[in-house]
């Protein structure tokens, strides 16, 4: 069974339309609404870019059942404690509907890092350093959110229940980290490395769990793809859905990149509500 989520690009739609999209996605039956975490609109082909946790907090106030999260929050965009506190706050104000998407960020010199260079926030140059920052963030989250945390952390906000964490990946190394340390893995479904990294995550998760069956494990195995209504249809089933399911995918995130199409979101209900 495939679960469907919706992601919007908040840089390409005004706030009232983003709020309407969240309400429409909730009514249609999408499980989670995701937004992006960028500092400048240029990297998402947008004129500007609202801050993601501020946007998600506002969306929590206008919705009631749909889950909410960043896909994905770059661990280099904020000190780890700010990321942890932002997610814990979202979990509190949403009544337990936060899903924390995290990512290690892109390499320096790519178009994705241009927004950081513009304000003197270049990410670590070495891949190992970016992975270390991700692991440090996960370590701090575990420490801050632990029910047995040490006394000097007792007044830091702690989410109840702890939100699931989904890791955006583009390599088998990150896929294995996702399986070992988080509750899910996400990759671009059309990427040439997608099958390899998904299968690495599934294999690593299975090794970690031993005899535990897939049905026992809520691990999210997700791919994202640009919004295409044919992916929602059960008859005929799109061959991409069949292919992804054969890898172990259990969730598809549909991205509305150029803008928000409320009519298309409404039409999705006919497929999601079956």
């Amino acid at each position: 069974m495939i679960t469907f989520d919706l992601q919007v690009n908040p840089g390409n739609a005004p706030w009232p339309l983003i709020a309407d999209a969240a309400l429409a996605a909730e009514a249609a039956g999408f499980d989670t609404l995701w937004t992006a975490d960028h500092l400048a609109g240029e990297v998402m082909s947008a004129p500007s870019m609202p801050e993601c946790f501020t946007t998600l907090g506002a969306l929590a106030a206008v919705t009631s059942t749909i889950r909410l999260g960043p896909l994905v929050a770059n661990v280099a965009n904020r000190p780890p404690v700010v990321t942890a506190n932002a997610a814990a706050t979202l979990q509190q104000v949403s009544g337990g509907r936060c899903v924390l998407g995290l990512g290690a960020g892109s390499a320096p010199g790519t178009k994705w890092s241009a927004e950081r260079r513009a304000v003197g926030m270049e990410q670590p140059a070495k891949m190992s350093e970016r992975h270390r920052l991700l692991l440090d963030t996960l370590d701090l989250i575990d420490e801050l959110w632990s029910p047995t945390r040490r006394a000097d952390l007792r007044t830091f906000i702690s989410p109840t229940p702890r939100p699931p964490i989904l890791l955006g990946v583009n390599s088998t190394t990150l896929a294995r980290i996702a399986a070992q340390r988080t509750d899910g893995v996400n990759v671009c479904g059309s990427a040439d490395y997608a099958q390899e990294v998904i299968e690495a995550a599934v294999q690593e998760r299975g090794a970690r769990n031993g005899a535990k069956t897939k049905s026992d494990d809520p691990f999210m195995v997700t791919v994202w793809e640009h919004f295409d209504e044919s992916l929602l249809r059960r008859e005929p089933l799109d061959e991409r859905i069949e292919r992804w399911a054969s890898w172990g995918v259990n969730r598809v995130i549909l991205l509305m990149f150029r803008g928000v199409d409320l009519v298309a979101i409404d039409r999705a209900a006919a497929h999601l509500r079956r």
Side-chain angles (χ1 to χ4, degrees):
M1 178 67 72
I2 299 289
T3 297
F4 287 94
D5 297 344
L6 181 69
Q7 183 179 16
V8 293
N9 178 355
N12 278 332
W15 160 250
L17 185 53
I18 294 296
D20 287 345
L23 289 168
E26 184 172 73
F30 285 99
D31 181 79
T32 305
L33 180 74
W34 302 91
T35 186
D37 179 31
H38 285 287
L39 306 173
E42 181 180 7
V43 294
M44 294 289 282
S45 300
S48 64
M49 184 59 59
E51 197 280 323
C52 75
F53 284 105
T54 307
T55 302
L56 289 164
L59 290 171
V62 300
T63 58
S64 57
T65 59
I66 196 167
R67 299 197 301 172
L68 303 163
L71 195 72
V72 286
N74 184 344
V75 295
N77 279 357
R78 302 165 189 80
V81 66
V82 175
T83 300
N85 278 16
T89 301
L90 177 60
Q91 181 74 333
Q92 184 181 85
V93 301
S94 68
R97 293 183 285 130
C98 172
V99 185
L100 176 56
L102 288 178
S106 59
T110 66
K111 73 169 186 174
W112 304 105
S113 63
E115 60 186 0
R116 296 178 56 78
R117 288 198 305 273
V119 291
M121 292 174 60
E122 192 63 83
Q123 290 186 182
K126 294 181 180 179
M127 184 184 299
S128 60
E129 293 172 336
R130 296 194 296 277
H131 290 183
R132 183 69 260 166
L133 181 56
L134 170 66
L135 290 168
D136 288 345
T137 300
L138 290 170
D139 287 344
L140 184 63
I141 286 173
D142 286 344
E143 191 171 20
L144 286 173
W145 294 357
S146 170
T148 58
R149 62 189 180 177
R150 51 180 209 270
D152 60 328
L153 299 177
R154 68 187 182 280
T155 60
F156 284 73
I157 186 170
S158 183
T160 304
R162 175 183 169 127
I165 297 176
L166 179 72
L167 187 63
V169 308
N170 58 7
S171 68
T172 55
T173 299
L174 284 173
R176 293 188 181 99
I177 291 172
Q180 294 164 359
R181 297 292 307 273
T182 77
D183 308 290
V185 62
N186 178 253
V187 65
C188 174
S190 60
D192 56 7
Y193 52 77
Q195 181 176 2
E196 180 184 16
V197 299
I198 288 290
E199 290 180 347
V202 170
Q203 182 179 23
E204 183 70 24
R205 189 71 171 193
R208 193 196 81 152
N209 290 341
K212 205 173 190 183
T213 66
K214 289 181 181 179
S215 60
D216 294 325
D217 188 1
F219 191 66
M220 295 177 286
V221 184
T222 80
V223 295
W224 71 265
E225 185 55 89
H226 288 277
F227 191 94
D228 181 346
E229 291 181 62
S230 64
L231 289 168
L232 293 164
R233 299 191 184 105
R234 298 187 186 181
E235 293 181 3
L237 191 65
D238 191 286
E239 61 87 16
R240 290 168 292 179
I241 295 292
E242 293 183 298
R243 181 170 68 252
W244 294 333
S246 74
W247 302 345
V249 170
N250 53 32
R251 182 179 297 265
V252 174
I253 302 169
L254 300 178
L255 168 63
M256 286 190 165
F257 185 79
R258 295 294 175 185
V260 169
D261 187 341
L262 293 178
V263 175
I265 297 173
D266 289 340
R267 281 199 302 265
H271 306 288
L272 297 171
R273 294 294 188 187
R274 285 185 185 179

